[in-house]
Amino acid sequence: RMRIVLVSPQIPPNTGSIGRLCAGHDVPLHLVEPLGFELTDRYLKRAGLDYWPHIPLSVHSNLDEVLMEYANAPKWYFSARATRPYWEVDFKGDELLIFGSETKGLPEQVKKENPDRLLTIPHNGNIRSLNLATAVGVVFYEVLRQVAIASK
């Protein structure tokens, strides 16, 4: 089962939009503290609308906690600074898809320890990175697409 992991998300509407995406597909959302907002934030709630009861949500005190809980799951880390495009991976639908915060991305240590599992969504030099909710959506639907094709 695919799982979305957000490491220290900072912008409530991004997390709300990602939560809504997760609710629409029964995909668990894991938030890694510290969060840049409270889970009761009105902007978070507004972006997720009334779907919050349908989001399989977990909050973790650190990334290691998530990684230990799903030790056997394949893990993919996403960074605007990576060089390998996400479309080079054959996703199976059982991965942890791990994204960093909007302001800092993934911790440097995480990137150093996982160079072979670090992916990017390519874009031109006009921007530093994609919006977090957009990035999650791009990868999320690519995983669903690959799983659908594989199941035919």
Side-chain angles (χ1 to χ4, degrees):
R1 183 175 190 186
M2 173 175 37
R3 297 172 193 289
I4 303 299
V5 179
L6 304 181
V7 179
S8 300
Q10 300 297 303
I11 301 174
N14 284 336
T15 301
S17 295
I18 294 164
R20 186 175 180 173
L21 186 66
C22 290
H25 295 277
D26 293 320
V27 169
L29 175 59
H30 296 267
L31 303 180
V32 177
E33 295 176 326
L35 308 179
F37 49 84
E38 296 291 327
L39 290 177
T40 56
D41 188 289
R42 68 184 173 110
Y43 296 108
L44 177 74
K45 297 287 187 189
R46 183 180 298 156
L49 296 175
D50 55 349
Y51 303 119
W52 284 102
H54 306 288
I55 300 169
L57 179 65
S58 299
V59 179
H60 304 270
S61 59
N62 57 62
L63 181 57
D64 288 339
E65 189 176 294
V66 182
L67 299 178
M68 287 178 12
E69 185 172 343
Y70 300 100
N72 295 324
K75 295 155 191 72
W76 294 102
Y77 301 85
F78 295 86
S79 171
R81 309 297 169 257
T83 57
R84 182 179 178 192
Y86 72 97
W87 58 66
E88 289 185 0
V89 173
D90 291 324
F91 295 104
K92 306 296 185 228
D94 61 348
E95 296 86 1
L96 288 180
L97 305 176
I98 304 167
F99 297 82
S101 79
E102 297 92 337
T103 56
K104 297 180 182 173
L106 290 168
E108 287 303 317
Q109 190 65 26
V110 170
K111 293 189 284 187
K112 286 180 187 175
E113 292 173 357
N114 300 282
D116 59 327
R117 314 249 353 129
L118 196 60
L119 303 174
T120 192
I121 302 168
H123 54 78
N124 67 26
N126 293 339
I127 60 172
R128 288 182 300 282
S129 63
L130 293 175
N131 170 277
L132 179 61
T134 300
V136 171
V138 165
V139 176
F140 188 101
Y141 280 104
E142 175 61 12
V143 173
L144 293 182
R145 184 190 72 81
Q146 288 187 22
V147 169
I149 289 172
S151 67
K152 286 186 177 182

